Each structure stands twice: as C-alpha cells, then as structure tokens.
Amino acid sequence: MDGGTLETFHVGPCGTSYEMGYLIGERFSNVIRSRVEKDLILQEQLLPFASTAEGHSLVEALERSNKERYPRYWDELVGTARGSGVPLLHILLLNLRKEMLPFVPKEELTKEPVVDDDCSDVLVVNDAMAIAVHNEDGNVVLVGHTYLVKAVLPRGLSFTAYTYAGELPSCAFGFNSHGVAFTLNSVPPLNNEIMAGGIGRNFVSRDLLEAYGLDDALHRIRKPNVSVGHCYNLIDIKGRRILNIETASNNRLSIHEVGEDPFFHANMYLHLKIDQIQDENSSSRQKRAAMLPADSQERALSLLGDTNHEKYPIFMTGPILHTLCTVLIDVDRAIVTIYKGNPKNGDVSNEIHMNISL
C-alpha cells in the first residue's frame, strides 16, 4: 500500500474452497513468499518448534480440530499453499501462530521478541454517529505484505477482507453483504488460560465473514472452543449496533454493547475476568486514550493517530510494531474508509461502499 491504493483481488464464485484459496495464493505468490522468507517469528521460532516431537504433536492436534470443524476453510488454506508454492506447514504456522507460540520453549523466544500484533479501536454509537475506527498494528515484517480480498461465494454472499499474506481472510477486519462487519484485537491470556490444540482464531474470523446477521455472528463466535482468547468488535450495519466481545478458552465470553460514550479497546481484557499478561504497551495506550476526545469522526481518527507517548504511542512506526493502516467503518453511511499513514492526515487509500443486501 506504500504510496498508493491497497490492492484488491476479486475472486469467485468458485466451484470449491480449494479453488478460491488457490487463486488467492497464485495471485499473491510473490507477496506470500516474501513474507515467509522475512518473518523471523516463523523462521526462528515456529518452524524449529514444529520440527520437535512436542511441536509436531501440537500441529497435528490443531490440524485435527480445525480441519474437522472448518473443512472448507482448511481446504482454502491448502489451496493457498499450493497456489503460492509455499509449503503447507509454513502456511499453517502463519495462521496458527497465536495457538503455537505459548508452547514454544522459552529459549527459543529469546531470538526475536514475540510481538506480532497490537491493535487499537475507538467505538461509538450515539444519535449523531455510529462508527468503529481501528488501527491495524502488526509486526514490521507485515509492511507491504497485506492485501484486500473481495470474494463472491457460490450462494451469492460476498465479503471484503483485509488479509495478511498467506493467511485466511481476515485476522484484521472485514465485512460482508449481509451487513456484518468486524475489527479484531488480540488479548493476552496467561498460559494457564490456554487450551492446547483448540480452535484457531483465524478460522473463527474467517467464519464471521459468512455470518447472516448479528445473532448468527454471535453464534459463530460463541460456539467453537478456542485455544486462545480474542476480542471481536462486531458491527451490525442494519441494526446500528456495535458489540465488543471478549473470548477465552472453554467457551468463555463477555459482551459489552457500545453506546454514546466512546469506547476504546487496545490489547488487554477489559470486562472478561481472566488471568492475563500485564501488557505495558496496551495499558499505556488505554490511559492515553482516556485523556483524548473522540466525539466526532475527526477526533476519533486524531486519537488513533496520537504519537504522544515516546515508547508506546497509539499510532506506531516501529521498530517492532507498525500501524499498517487505519480503517473507519461508518455504520450510517455503510462506507469503509482505509487510511494510509497517520490517520490525522486524512490520506485515504481505499473507500468502499458496502452494498448491503436487503
């Protein structure tokens, strides 16, 4: 996206999920290969761990649970691997990194800091506006390794998803033609809160892209027994509602309905009671956000562009974490606007009309 519009790939309808994954992998093969080569967390931690007996056993357990629950999405991943020419194991580890990393021996973790995603959201629903504004923050290796996938499925549903190279759409944000949209925030449960071999977050968010409405989306979040926790900012365009949902293993879930007071969420659990890592980066962003107004779209964008904190700014520019883009989902206008660079500058990369079906 550097200097221009984020590339969008239109795909489908396809005869099989494998075919759709294959076409995405083929189209972005150079980008996927580049990411795989440069991703130190993959190369120095996940791949060495996967070659051990313990790591191999965990990969097999994750394969069994996710393939059984989501066979179509599993076929998509296989297609992406084949289309891109990247080994399937590498693609699986990219998609299941959050489910694998807690089990990597500590000596492996010293090679590269395990910080690969940290996002911030401002959510507001009042008489004047209903918006979700989201900073998509990721490891600096992801700069230049993302794209938009706009897919049409055989039964007519379409979705648009911001996609990390080699991963399922979407571990970041997306929306569909039924008026369901979402952004995502990682959260840090302690290891005693994690279930080895459970359902992967990427599979749940891929499933959300096919939700028929708010209730169906909630069901798709609630039903699977996930391995690690996650935070979903679930947006109902037709119903003009935004829910912040925090999840954890063993089907634990907490829902906060967003109202007229701006709600800021970084990367700590705020309302689900759980043992979690105390993340200074997230806490600093949470404290700073509480000091800033977000009572208009412009002020919400300015908040997410804040660089006041020298070590832990809300808008990140490295050396490890980088704000890849900022997205504004305007519920009332049904428009998704993606900004490149600091959102305070208003530099639009993509403006997408959601075209919601009645």
Side-chain angles (χ1 to χ4, degrees):
M1 190 173 71
D2 295 343
T5 300
L6 184 64
E7 184 170 359
T8 303
F9 180 54
H10 297 257
V11 62
C14 297
T16 64
S17 298
Y18 174 88
E19 180 186 356
M20 188 168 86
Y22 184 92
L23 292 172
I24 295 170
E26 182 180 53
R27 174 64 187 82
F28 293 107
S29 60
N30 290 337
V31 181
I32 296 171
R33 290 183 185 192
S34 174
R35 182 201 172 178
V36 165
E37 290 170 2
K38 296 176 181 179
D39 193 323
L40 295 183
I41 293 175
L42 173 67
Q43 295 292 346
E44 296 185 356
Q45 297 173 31
L46 294 176
L47 281 170
F49 178 57
S51 68
T52 67
E54 181 186 0
H56 180 70
S57 177
L58 180 57
V59 171
E60 286 189 328
L62 287 164
E63 176 176 354
R64 283 193 302 271
S65 58
N66 288 277
K67 186 176 182 179
E68 179 180 354
R69 181 163 186 85
Y70 300 110
R72 287 193 297 113
Y73 309 149
W74 189 269
D75 287 347
E76 264 185 52
L77 278 187
V78 174
T80 298
R82 185 65 62 85
S84 64
V86 171
L88 178 59
L89 176 62
H90 294 56
I91 296 296
L92 296 183
L93 294 178
L94 288 179
N95 281 271
L96 295 167
R97 65 191 186 279
K98 284 291 186 178
E99 290 73 27
M100 294 283 295
L101 281 169
F103 301 96
V104 175
K106 291 295 183 288
E107 58 268 21
E108 295 293 332
L109 297 180
T110 61
K111 296 180 180 179
E112 168 79 2
V114 185
V115 183
D116 62 344
D117 59 358
D118 264 330
C119 301
S120 300
D121 278 77
V122 178
L123 313 169
V124 187
V125 179
N126 59 32
D127 291 341
M129 63 180 182
I131 59 170
V133 195
H134 169 87
N135 274 0
E136 184 58 32
D137 305 320
N139 190 288
V140 69
V141 75
L142 288 164
V143 175
H145 295 112
T146 63
Y147 40 81
L148 288 174
V149 171
K150 184 170 184 179
V152 179
L153 303 184
R155 58 183 182 274
L157 170 72
S158 64
F159 67 75
T160 301
Y162 183 88
T163 306
Y164 288 9
E167 298 191 34
L168 288 169
S170 165
C171 68
F173 58 86
F175 65 89
N176 69 21
S177 54
H178 289 308
V180 176
F182 62 84
T183 66
L184 304 171
N185 306 112
S186 66
V187 284
L190 287 174
N191 279 17
N192 64 293
E193 301 279 11
I194 295 172
M195 186 184 76
I199 296 299
R201 304 178 320 158
N202 278 19
F203 287 88
V204 178
S205 52
R206 170 64 184 86
D207 198 38
L208 274 183
L209 290 168
E210 300 195 17
Y212 289 98
L214 184 65
D215 289 343
D216 184 41
L218 280 170
H219 176 76
R220 291 170 189 252
I221 292 171
R222 188 190 303 269
K223 189 78 181 293
N225 192 0
V226 296
S227 176
V228 298
H230 210 18
C231 172
Y232 303 85
N233 301 302
L234 190 58
I235 303 149
D236 177 9
I237 301 297
K238 295 178 182 179
R240 202 175 186 268
R241 297 174 67 190
I242 300 177
L243 304 180
N244 175 262
I245 305 161
E246 296 177 344
T247 69
S249 59
N250 296 313
N251 301 104
R252 289 172 291 173
L253 174 145
S254 176
I255 300 174
H256 168 79
E257 177 138 14
V258 175
E260 61 182 21
D261 294 327
F263 180 80
F264 181 87
H265 201 290
N267 301 102
M268 297 279 290
Y269 286 99
L270 297 181
H271 46 92
L272 181 62
K273 303 305 179 185
I274 189 171
D275 294 334
Q276 62 178 318
I277 298 168
Q278 296 305 308
D279 177 21
E280 187 179 354
N281 185 330
S282 183
S283 298
S284 296
R285 283 179 283 137
Q286 196 78 38
K287 291 175 184 176
R288 177 60 180 165
M291 302 168 61
L292 300 173
D295 53 357
S296 69
Q297 289 191 8
E298 293 74 19
R299 286 183 168 180
L301 288 168
S302 180
L303 188 160
L304 289 187
D306 185 77
T307 56
N308 176 266
H309 198 292
E310 183 177 352
K311 187 175 182 181
Y312 299 122
I314 295 175
F315 181 83
M316 305 179 186
T317 55
I320 297 174
L321 287 169
H322 196 285
T323 300
L324 305 172
C325 69
T326 300
V327 61
L328 166 64
I329 301 175
D330 187 328
V331 176
D332 294 326
R333 297 171 64 215
I335 293 177
V336 173
T337 306
I338 301 174
Y339 297 87
K340 57 187 176 183
N342 193 307
K344 290 196 290 189
N345 300 327
D347 194 356
V348 175
S349 166
N350 302 70
E351 184 173 274
I352 308 166
H353 292 256
M354 299 177 73
N355 296 321
I356 306 303
S357 60
L358 297 178

